[in-house]
Amino acid sequence: MYIFICNLTLNGVYGSTAFYPNCLANLLSETPSISRTGCLTQVFFMHTYASFEYSVLALMAYDRYVSICLPLRYNSIITPLKVTQLLMFVYMYPICIILIHLILTIRLPLCGFIIEKVYCDNWSVVRLSCSDVSVNSAFGLLVTVIVMCLPVTVIIYSYVRILAVCLKSTKEARAKALQTCTPHLLSFTNYCIATFFEVLQHRVDLTNVPYILRVLASIDCVFFPPILNPIIYGVKLQEIRKATIKILFRRKNNSVEVSVRNKEKITSLSNT
């Protein structure tokens, strides 16, 4: 499970790296702008970040399903080789799909140059085209189904099976399962809410909504998950919580020891 948590955290860093440098540069610039190549590059990184997030969350749900529903077979199913293969799959298939999506966008001639968002995404670029975008729109829906709906289906199915097992288990087993699944459910809910507003902006006319609200809603999926995920898992998982407390107290004790040694040195120097 911890390898999946690590991948979830690394993906948050990946998404933040794709978003924040250009965003901060634009905030410091009098005329915020980005080149077409830079914009399309950011499209690729932002969309793969979102796809990776859902895929890793689906893997984590599968891991919890095997752990709770098939505990005696966990070590034979979730092997290091299986984990490596699953991680390679959940990273490779979004990359291939997003690349095709991006190629369809690159071919479009652009007639506009203003994106009403603080970062580039595929549909915002497609909207700037003055040619037919029906193929892009249809493929965009397909991408949404593949990278969002399929992982969500896996997650829901896993938790339905977990719930069925928990209803037949003892109170202690249910409490343990709840403790194990709560961080994942919080992360999943957090990201689903964030991406829901993003998809809503793409498919529904929200021009009546104030611009600042649309901007804030668009950065939810980049801003909150990378911050909240480490907090959620750090607080809920006992092993991570203990390790964090141990590191903090070790640093505190080291600083106390250093200060004591410095005082002793100062005292010895003053005596001499």
Side-chain angles (χ1 to χ4, degrees), residues 24-164:
L24 294 175
N26 285 335
L27 288 174
L28 296 174
S29 174
E30 294 182 359
T31 55
S33 62
I34 187 172
S35 65
R36 178 172 180 172
T37 302
C39 185
L40 293 173
T41 302
Q42 191 176 49
V43 168
F44 173 78
F45 285 121
M46 294 299 293
H47 282 262
T48 50
Y49 155 71
S51 304
F52 294 159
E53 191 83 2
Y54 272 110
S55 299
V56 174
L57 287 171
L59 272 185
M60 295 174 73
Y62 172 70
D63 176 77
R64 293 300 83 203
Y65 158 72
V66 176
S67 174
I68 294 171
C69 299
L70 306 169
L72 298 180
R73 296 177 55 195
Y74 181 84
N75 290 330
S76 61
I77 296 175
I78 308 297
T79 61
L81 177 61
K82 184 73 169 290
V83 170
T84 303
Q85 291 173 342
L86 288 172
L87 286 173
M88 288 181 64
F89 173 74
V90 300
Y91 284 128
M92 290 307 299
Y93 93 84
I95 289 176
C96 296
I97 293 172
I98 299 303
L99 277 176
I100 297 172
H101 202 22
L102 197 60
I103 290 170
L104 292 174
T105 302
I106 291 173
R107 68 184 178 86
L108 296 174
L110 301 183
C111 299
F113 303 96
I114 298 176
I115 294 177
E116 295 185 356
K117 298 181 73 172
V118 293
Y119 65 89
C120 294
D121 67 83
N122 189 72
W123 188 244
S124 296
V125 177
V126 170
R127 280 178 172 176
L128 300 178
S129 176
C130 48
S131 60
D132 181 36
V133 297
S134 56
V135 174
N136 296 74
S137 180
F139 192 78
L141 287 174
L142 178 63
V143 170
T144 302
V145 170
I146 294 174
V147 303
M148 289 180 61
C149 297
L150 288 182
V152 169
T153 303
V154 171
I155 293 169
I156 293 174
Y157 173 78
S158 299
Y159 277 106
V160 168
R161 296 294 301 271
I162 289 172
L163 181 62

Side-chain angles (χ1 to χ4, degrees), residues 163-214:
L163 181 62
V165 170
C166 288
L167 291 176
K168 301 176 184 178
S169 303
T170 62
K171 186 176 180 180
E172 292 77 10
R174 287 198 296 269
K176 187 175 181 180
L178 180 64
Q179 182 182 4
T180 304
C181 296
T182 298
H184 179 264
L185 283 172
L186 290 174
S187 296
F188 173 63
T189 305
N190 171 39
Y191 198 72
C192 277
I193 293 172
T195 51
F196 171 76
F197 288 110
E198 182 67 10
V199 174
L200 192 66
Q201 288 191 75
H202 290 170
R203 299 297 170 180
V204 180
D205 184 13
L206 298 177
T207 52
N208 294 328
V209 179
Y211 175 71
I212 186 65
L213 291 180
R214 281 182 282 150

